[in-house]
């Protein structure tokens, strides 16, 4: 829900409620994406990449109930990569090492079986016009 980042101009916090897309055939399961960038510009900038934003993905299951679970980040990343690719955007999966691999490739449960950790540590790049 929150990101602390430094694009070379100092540290800042950003928050994003994200967008949820229902997983067809499942009750109360959603693919969830959150997009982050400095509020002053609404994007980061580098000479190598130009303008860019950062995003995180995960799946929400039974949110707001006593059986809520979150995670499956890699699965959600694959979903959103296909989502954008199917709309004609350039997508390069697992392109950039972020050094945040966790429990890849089998995954693991944490926080009393509420979070399923699954990340290969690589980010997918989506190019938007």
């Amino acid at each position: 829900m929150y990101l602390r980042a430094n694009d070379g101009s100092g540290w800042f916090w950003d928050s994003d409620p994200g967008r949820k897309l229902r997983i067809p055939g499942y009750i109360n399961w959603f693919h969830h994406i959150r997009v982050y960038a400095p509020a002053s510009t609404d994007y980061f900038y580098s000479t190598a990449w130009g303008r860019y934003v950062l995003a995180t993905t995960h799946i929400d299951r039974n949110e707001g109930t006593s059986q809520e679970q979150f995670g499956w980040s890699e699965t959600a990343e694959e979903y959103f990569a296909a989502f954008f690719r199917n709309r004609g955007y350039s997508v390069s999966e697992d392109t950039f090492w972020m050094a945040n691999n966790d429990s890849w490739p089998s995954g693991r449960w944490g926080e009393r079986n509420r979070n399923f950790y699954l990340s290969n540590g690589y980010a997918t790049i989506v190019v938007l016009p």
Side-chain angles (χ1 to χ4, degrees):
M1 210 179 295
Y2 301 98
L3 172 79
R4 183 173 187 244
N6 184 339
D7 67 352
S9 301
W11 289 97
F12 67 90
W13 281 98
D14 189 29
S15 65
D16 187 86
R19 178 164 182 211
K20 293 185 180 188
L21 301 173
R22 185 177 302 279
I23 299 176
Y26 291 87
I27 297 172
N28 207 14
W29 282 65
F30 295 88
H31 287 109
H32 195 172
I33 187 169
R34 296 180 193 273
V35 180
Y36 302 100
S40 59
T41 59
D42 217 20
Y43 60 83
F44 292 97
Y45 179 79
S46 82
T47 55
W49 291 356
R51 293 179 182 181
Y52 69 97
V53 298
L54 299 175
T56 61
T57 62
H58 64 275
I59 291 175
D60 294 332
R61 178 176 182 251
N62 298 323
E63 187 174 13
T65 74
S66 62
Q67 297 160 341
E68 64 185 5
Q69 295 176 316
F70 310 96
W72 303 275
S73 295
E74 201 66 34
T75 305
E77 177 188 7
E78 292 169 7
Y79 170 83
F80 281 107
F83 177 90
F84 287 109
R85 184 181 293 110
N86 292 339
R87 284 155 181 80
Y89 297 106
S90 173
V91 177
S92 300
E93 293 187 55
D94 296 338
T95 302
F96 188 79
W97 175 245
M98 298 293 290
N100 67 338
N101 61 318
D102 194 352
S103 304
W104 182 257
S106 58
R108 72 176 170 88
W109 285 101
E111 287 89 38
R112 299 180 313 274
N113 292 331
R114 289 188 48 189
N115 290 320
F116 189 74
Y117 295 100
L118 180 65
S119 174
N120 68 4
Y122 286 89
T124 291
I125 296 175
V126 178
V127 178
L128 303 171

